[in-house]
Amino acid sequence: MKYDFDTITPRRGTLSYKWDSAAEGVLPMWVADMDFKTAPAIIDAIHKRIDNGIFGYTLVPDEYYNAVTSWFSRKHGWNINRDMMIYTSGVVPAISAIIKALASPGDKVLVQTPVYNCFFSSIRNNGCEILTNPLVKKSDTYDIDFDDLERKVSDDKVTLMLLCNPHNPAGRVWSRDELKRIGEICGRHGVTVVSDEIHCEFVFDGYKYTPFATVAEEAGCKCVVCVSPSKAFNIAGLQIANIIAPDEVTRQKIDKAININEVCDVNPFGVIATIAAYNEGEEWLARLLDYIRGNYEYMKEFCSKHLPNFPIAKLEATYLVWMDCTVLGLKSDELEEKLVEDVNLWLNAGTMYGTEDGEGYMRWNIACPRSVLDDGLHRFLNFVKKA
């Protein structure tokens, strides 16, 4: 089947957080929300549910668990026992509840910066302290400083490590060897790894996503993994995610925290959409990945030709491109404001992802029709010419 990712679907006036937060004329390429309609199978399934006309509290059926476990088994070689699963309303609420369950106020939680900004708020909101293991920039990519990681997690106050796998915003797909080494280090020091794997479906040819849980036991490390179809199928507003906790005692603690945080109920449309996505959305997702990869190649070529002083990180996964804008000599927050004011372009300031490691960088969301990406790139180029 042929899928259309080129047609622009107007989103203003739909209460879109991404578009309706932006003033008229501003092109939003910031929050991780795609500008593509979701898979037709999901739309059809939701239409059928709407026809019932009643939207009360929902049960989560066996079909849901079967869809999730089957998907990860056949796509990623990860055999999940349904008893390991806890459903909830999103990955961010999941992470917050996990921290509440497994850490105490005053504990330290390690993150690898630059990293997804909600990690910071989830840690702070639970009264914990942020400890960073900064990634090391090497040419157009990032590596892990394992010596620093070992030093940091040897601190007795470090309880958890929040891992981003694949990594947002660095675009890395951590290899099995890298993940095993993380697990071995954390295992030696009794640190539980909490792995956010929401971008696991956005891995491009030549790279392979490894679920952290598939290496954790061998590495001697406890882990909890968070997954969701929300990014891959553009259904974040349907609020559905899954926590996979292999250890029963850990799972019971998390389940209690999920209930304390009141994020134990889910949207009926999220359940229906997850079943349709994992049972019928595989072909659509494959074509989407091809298109986004094409967008990245288009942006890479454009930057090479017109913006050679603004290198972008190699994109192994996600649809989020990390751009080095240090040549402008502006702070990231200032650059974000100036781009909106001068050329009506909204990007994310790099400091959202770490005040030191993100300074001078900007994050682009390229999950949009190519004509929209081209518009954004030309707006940025016009800004640079005037700077």
Side-chain angles (χ1 to χ4, degrees):
M1 183 183 295
K2 181 174 174 58
Y3 300 101
D4 178 12
F5 300 109
D6 285 313
T7 297
I8 296 173
T9 301
R11 299 189 65 191
R12 288 194 186 275
T14 64
L15 301 181
S16 162
Y17 180 67
K18 177 180 181 180
W19 283 86
D20 289 326
S21 296
E24 191 67 35
V26 173
L27 178 60
M29 301 185 74
W30 59 300
V31 67
D33 177 338
M34 296 194 291
D35 288 327
F36 306 118
K37 288 185 178 182
T38 191
I42 294 175
I43 296 172
D44 291 345
I46 290 175
H47 273 302
K48 290 176 184 176
R49 179 64 179 82
I50 287 171
D51 287 342
N52 175 258
I54 300 174
F55 312 112
Y57 301 117
T58 192
L59 288 171
V60 177
D62 289 343
E63 189 181 3
Y64 175 89
Y65 292 97
N66 293 340
V68 175
T69 57
S70 174
W71 175 272
F72 281 95
S73 176
R74 71 176 186 273
K75 289 280 288 179
H76 305 300
W78 181 16
N79 295 317
I80 301 170
N81 186 316
R82 64 169 283 173
D83 292 338
M84 299 176 183
M85 293 173 55
I86 303 171
Y87 58 77
T88 186
S89 57
V91 166
V92 174
I95 290 171
S96 292
I98 292 165
I99 295 172
K100 180 185 289 292
L102 304 182
S104 300
D107 284 356
K108 295 179 182 179
V109 180
L110 185 137
V111 298
Q112 296 177 305
T113 51
V115 74
Y116 180 45
N117 53 294
C118 285
F119 280 11
F120 304 122
S121 57
S122 291
I123 295 168
R124 293 191 188 103
N125 290 344
N126 281 287
C128 294
E129 182 181 336
I130 297 164
L131 186 64
T132 63
N133 166 229
L135 298 177
V136 180
K137 192 167 190 301
K138 290 188 176 179
S139 184
D140 62 348
T141 191
Y142 284 83
D143 287 340
I144 296 170
D145 185 340
F146 285 103
D147 291 336
D148 181 69
L149 177 62
E150 181 99 45
R151 284 193 298 271
K152 297 288 177 60
V153 300
S154 67
D155 184 335
D156 290 340
K157 293 193 73 176
V158 177
T159 308
L160 303 174
M161 173 181 176
L162 298 190
L163 175 68
C164 201
N165 175 42
H167 193 90
N168 166 24
R172 275 297 315 274
V173 178
W174 304 122
S175 69
R176 175 171 286 274
D177 287 344
E178 287 170 317
L179 294 174
K180 185 179 177 184
R181 194 169 175 187
I182 289 171
E184 290 169 344
I185 290 171
C186 289
R188 279 197 292 274
H189 299 283
V191 173
T192 298
V193 175
V194 181
S195 188
D196 173 359
E197 303 189 355
I198 197 169
H199 290 281
C200 67
E201 307 306 340
F202 286 105
V203 174
F204 302 113
D205 287 346
Y207 305 97
K208 181 174 174 56
Y209 155 65
T210 302
F212 186 79
T214 63
V215 303
E217 185 176 0
E218 180 184 354
C221 173
K222 282 188 178 181
C223 77
V224 182
V225 177
C226 300
V227 294
S228 172
S230 61
K231 295 299 182 194
F233 293 93
N234 205 23
I235 55 172
L238 300 186
Q239 298 186 316
I240 192 82
N242 293 289
I243 299 167
I244 316 298
D247 178 70
E248 184 177 356
V249 173
T250 300
R251 189 165 61 251
Q252 289 174 352
K253 290 178 180 178
I254 295 169
D255 191 51
K256 181 178 179 181
I258 286 286
N259 283 272
I260 290 171
N261 281 13
E262 303 290 2
V263 287
C264 49
D265 291 320
V266 290
N267 186 321
F269 296 115
V271 174
I272 294 295
T274 298
I275 294 169
Y278 287 154
N279 286 347
E280 304 175 66
E282 191 167 346
E283 182 186 351
W284 177 88
L285 180 61
R287 301 291 75 76
L288 171 69
L289 285 175
D290 291 342
Y291 192 89
I292 291 176
R293 178 68 190 210
N295 272 0
Y296 169 67
E297 295 297 341
Y298 183 87
M299 181 175 184
K300 187 177 177 182
E301 183 177 347
F302 185 98
C303 290
S304 178
K305 183 176 181 180
H306 301 291
L307 297 164
N309 295 321
F310 296 83
I312 59 176
K314 180 168 63 173
L315 196 65
E316 300 175 356
T318 85
Y319 51 77
L320 304 164
V321 177
W322 191 239
M323 175 184 274
D324 184 345
C325 301
T326 53
V327 69
L328 291 173
L330 297 172
K331 291 187 175 298
S332 292
D333 289 345
E334 183 182 1
L335 179 53
E336 179 178 334
E337 292 178 7
K338 283 183 171 292
L339 284 168
V340 172
E341 292 171 0
D342 295 356
V343 293
N344 288 331
L345 176 64
W346 189 353
L347 305 178
N348 278 131
T351 44
M352 286 184 66
Y353 312 100
T355 51
E356 294 181 8
D357 305 292
E359 189 63 87
Y361 288 77
M362 302 298 287
R363 192 189 77 167
W364 292 69
N365 174 354
I366 64 167
C368 57
R370 199 152 301 154
S371 60
V372 175
L373 173 60
D374 182 71
D375 183 9
L377 288 168
H378 277 93
R379 292 185 193 212
F380 189 87
L381 178 60
N382 288 338
F383 175 85
V384 170
K385 286 179 177 178
K386 295 174 185 177

